[in-house]
Amino acid sequence: MGQEEEQDRVAASLAAARRTLRAGVEKSRALGDALARAGPRLEEIQAALPALEAAVRPIRAPRGELAAAGPHIDRAVGPAAAVLKVFDAVHGLEPPLLAPGEDLPGYLAVLAQLEEASRFLAGNCGLAAQWLADIVEYLGDRDLADPRFLADLGVTLDGLKAPEGDLDGGLLAAALDILEAEFRRLLADHSAPLAMPKSGAAAAPARVPAAAVHKLSLILDRLLANGRQDRCVAAYIDARGSVVSASLGSLGLDYLRDPPQDAQELGPALEMWGRHLEFVVRRLLESERQLCAKVFGQYKDDASACFAEVAAQAGVLDFLKFGRAVADAKKDPIKLQRLLEVFDSLNRLRLDFNRLFGGKACAEIQSQTRDLVKLLIDGAVEIFEELIVQVELQRHMPPPSDGGVPRLVTFVVEYCNRLLGDQYRPVLGQVLTIHRSWRKEVFNDRKLVDSVLNIVKALEANFDVWSKAYDNAMLSYLFMMNTHWHFFRHLKATKLGEILGDVWLREHEQYKEYYLSMFIRESWGALSPLLNREGLILFSKGRATARDLVKQRLKTFNSSFDEMYCRQSSWVIPDKDLREKTCNLVLQTIVPTYRSYLQNYGPLVEQEGNTGRYIRFTVDGMEKMLGALYMPRPRRASSIQIRHSSGKINSAMTGLHRSASAVK
C-alpha cells in the first residue's frame, strides 16, 4: 500500500508539471506575437523619448528639490484651477443669455451671474497667470525642467496675463445688445403722442404703464452699470423727443416763428400762446419729467440731461422767444396789456418752471426766462408811467371837429377800467411791486389806484382846454355835453367808477345837463323867437301888412334854420340815449312853435299861390329832419398819435376796444 501511494503521488506531480510547462509555452508564444506587433510603436516612442525625457525631467530631479517645489506649485495651481472652473461656468450661461424669454427678472439674474464671473475673470485671470509664471521662473532658476519647455510655457502665460478681447468671448456684449434692443422696443411701444385736452386738468397723465416703466428701469440699471450710458441716453431722447414733437405737431405752432409786430394783432396769438405753454409745461413736460425720474431712478444727472433735451425738442425756447417778440413789439399803450398777459402766464407757471427746469442741464431755459421776465416788467412799468405824460401831451392836440368824444377819452376810460379790472389789476400791482423792490422802494395797491386816478384827472383837465379850442360856442357846448356824458355813462357801475365815487360821477352827469341846456338855448332856442307874432295881432295894420310880415319872418326863419341845420348836420352825438334826448329837445324847441305859426298865419301866404317859397318845410318833414340829426358816421380805424415827452410824435394809440362813436 505504501509503494502504490508513492507512485500515485509522483504521477500527479508529473501531470501538474506538464500543465505548467504547456502554459508557459503558450504565454511565451503570445508574448512573442505582442512584441512583434509593438515593434513600430516602440520605434515612435524611441523617437519621442528626448522630449518625454525633458517633460519628466523635474521628476528626475533630486528628491529634496522636488519636495521644496511642491508647495509653490500647489499655491499656483489652485487659483488657476478656480479660473478654469469659472470659464466653464461662463460657457454654461451662454444658452439662456442668447435666447431670452419673457422672464426679464430671470434673464437679468443670469446676466448678473455673467457680470460676476466676468469681474472674477478680470480680477483673477491675470493674477493666476502671474503665479504660474512665477513657478515657471522658479523651476527655471533651479534647473528643474527643460529650458525650451519653460520658454514655451512662459510665452503662453504672458498672453494670459494680458489677454486680447473679452474673457467671456463677447457673451456679455451680446447680452447687453439684447437688453438695449428691448429698451428701445419698450420705448417705441409706448410712444403715442399726447393730445391737448379741451379743458385743462391739473395732473399730468401717466402715459407709460407702471409695468413697462419698471422694466425700463431694470434694463437701464444694467446698461448704465456696464458703460452703455451714452447709447441709452441717446435712445431715450430719440424716443421721447419724437413723442413730444408729435404731440406738438397738432397744435399749429407756426405763429411762434413769425409773431405780429403790432400789439393789437398779437392778441389772438398770445391767447393761444398761453394755453399752449400751459399744456406743454403742466401736462406734456410734467409727464415726461415724471417718466424720466422713474426710469432713470438714482441716475439723476442722466435723468436731468435727458429731460433737458426732451424739453428742448418741446420748443420751450421757442415759446420764450415769442414772449420776447411781444416785449420787443413797437411801443404802444395796448402793449402794456400784452406784457401783463405774458407775465401772468409765466408767473402762473413759475413753480412749474422752477421744478422742471431747475437743474444745470436747463441753464439756457433758466437764463432766457429770467431775461424775459425782466424785459416784461421794465417794459410794462415804462408804458404805465408814461400814460399820464401822454394824456397831458394830448391836451394841445385839436379836439374832434364834429364835437364828438375824443378817441383819447374813449380809450383812456376803457383802458383804465381794464387796468383796474380783475384780469389786469393784480398782475399790474405785482409787476409794479417787483419793479419798485429793485429800487428798494415799497409799492402797494393803493398807490396803483392813485396812479390810475391821476391819469383820469389829467384827462379831465384836457376837457376845458379842448372846449376852448372851438371857434363856435355851440359846438363847444356839444363837445362838453358828449364828453362829460361819456365819462358818466362808461364809468358808472365799473371798478374805476366805484373808486371815483358817486359824487364825482354825478358831477359829470350835472355837467352834461348844463351843457345840454346851454346848447339848446344858444342854438335851436334862438330860432323860435324869429317866428314871433308882434304886429300880427288882429292884423292891426291891415291884411297886406300882416302878410308881408309873415313872409319876412318865414324867410328869415328858413334861412336861419337852413344854416343851423347844415352846420349841425356834420356834428355828432355818439351816445344813442343822449342823441335821442337832444333831438327830442330840439323838436320841442322848434316844432310846436313852427306848427302853431303855420296854423295861424300860413293861410295868409297860401293865398298867393307861391307857398313853397316861404313855407319850405312841412311839420312832418321838419320832424324827420331834426330827428335824424347827430347820427355818427363810421370812422376810419386810424390811430391816435401820442407825443413823446420831448414833444416828438413817435407812437400811436391803437386798438380801441370800443369806438367812442359807436351807436349804442
Side-chain angles (χ1 to χ4, degrees), residues 566-608:
C566 289
R567 178 185 299 170
Q568 295 197 17
S569 62
S570 63
W571 298 354
V572 298
I573 301 178
D575 185 83
K576 180 181 179 182
D577 293 338
L578 181 59
R579 184 171 61 252
E580 291 179 351
K581 180 178 181 179
T582 303
C583 288
N584 286 334
L585 288 175
V586 172
L587 288 171
Q588 293 172 17
T589 301
I590 297 296
V591 173
T593 301
Y594 185 69
R595 179 187 293 111
S596 175
Y597 200 82
L598 291 183
Q599 289 175 349
N600 291 322
Y601 306 110
L604 290 176
V605 178
E606 293 171 354
Q607 292 176 358
E608 293 189 356

Side-chain angles (χ1 to χ4, degrees), residues 47-117:
L49 187 58
L52 292 173
E53 182 181 5
V56 300
R57 184 177 176 187
I59 302 174
R60 296 168 58 189
R63 182 183 298 275
E65 293 185 13
L66 288 176
H72 295 286
I73 295 174
D74 291 340
R75 283 195 298 271
V77 171
V83 169
L84 290 175
K85 185 177 181 180
V86 173
F87 268 117
D88 290 338
V90 168
H91 289 304
L93 298 177
E94 183 174 342
L97 288 177
L98 297 182
E102 298 293 330
D103 183 12
L104 179 61
Y107 186 86
L108 294 176
V110 176
L111 180 61
Q113 296 177 26
L114 176 60
E115 292 175 356
E116 183 178 359

Side-chain angles (χ1 to χ4, degrees), residues 183 187 208 210 212-214 216-218 220-221 224 236 240 284-308 310 355-356:
F183 185 76
L187 288 172
V208 180
V213 172
H214 182 63
L216 287 168
S217 181
L218 291 176
L220 188 66
D221 183 66
L224 293 182
Y236 187 90
R240 300 314 301 176
L284 186 59
L285 289 183
E286 177 61 28
S287 64
E288 291 299 329
R289 183 195 68 84
Q290 293 177 8
L291 181 62
C292 265
K294 292 175 182 177
V295 171
F296 283 88
Q298 61 181 332
Y299 304 100
K300 294 183 179 180
D301 290 343
D302 293 317
S304 297
C306 281
F307 177 75
V310 172
R355 184 179 65 257
L356 293 176

Side-chain angles (χ1 to χ4, degrees), residues 140-268:
D141 291 344
R142 288 160 179 76
D143 198 26
L144 297 179
D146 183 82
R148 290 175 299 174
F149 170 75
L150 293 178
D152 293 340
L153 186 57
V155 173
T156 302
L157 291 175
D158 287 341
L160 292 177
K161 285 189 289 185
E164 296 181 359
D166 297 324
L167 293 173
D168 62 356
L171 181 58
L172 179 59
L176 293 176
D177 287 342
I178 291 174
L179 278 183
E180 187 176 325
E182 178 65 8
F183 185 76
R184 292 177 180 273
R185 185 194 67 79
L186 286 171
L187 288 172
D189 287 350
H190 302 91
S191 59
L194 178 64
M196 182 173 175
K198 294 182 179 180
S199 59
R207 295 156 55 206
V208 180
V213 172
H214 182 63
K215 288 182 178 181
L216 287 168
S217 181
L218 291 176
I219 294 173
L220 188 66
D221 183 66
R222 300 319 318 140
L223 292 174
L224 293 182
N226 285 278
R228 297 285 182 109
Q229 179 182 19
D230 292 342
R231 295 174 64 172
C232 288
V233 168
Y236 187 90
I237 293 173
D238 181 63
R240 300 314 301 176
S242 298
V243 173
V244 166
S245 298
S247 300
L248 296 177
S250 61
L251 298 182
L253 301 179
D254 292 341
Y255 67 90
L256 293 179
R257 291 178 285 275
D258 188 23
Q261 290 299 308
D262 182 82
Q264 182 68 21
E265 295 177 2
L266 275 168

Side-chain angles (χ1 to χ4, degrees), residues 33 103 154 192 218 249 286 303 326 369 393 447 465 490 501 513 526 624:
D33 294 339
D103 183 12
L218 291 176
E286 177 61 28
V326 176
T369 302
L393 290 173
K447 292 184 178 181
V465 177
H490 293 278
E513 291 294 336
K624 291 180 181 180

Side-chain angles (χ1 to χ4, degrees), residues 196 251-256 266-279 319 322 345:
M196 182 173 175
L251 298 182
L253 301 179
D254 292 341
Y255 67 90
L256 293 179
L266 275 168
L270 191 54
E271 182 181 356
M272 290 191 297
W273 177 85
R275 290 188 289 106
H276 290 162
L277 180 61
E278 182 175 359
F279 164 73
F319 278 94
F322 179 87
S345 294

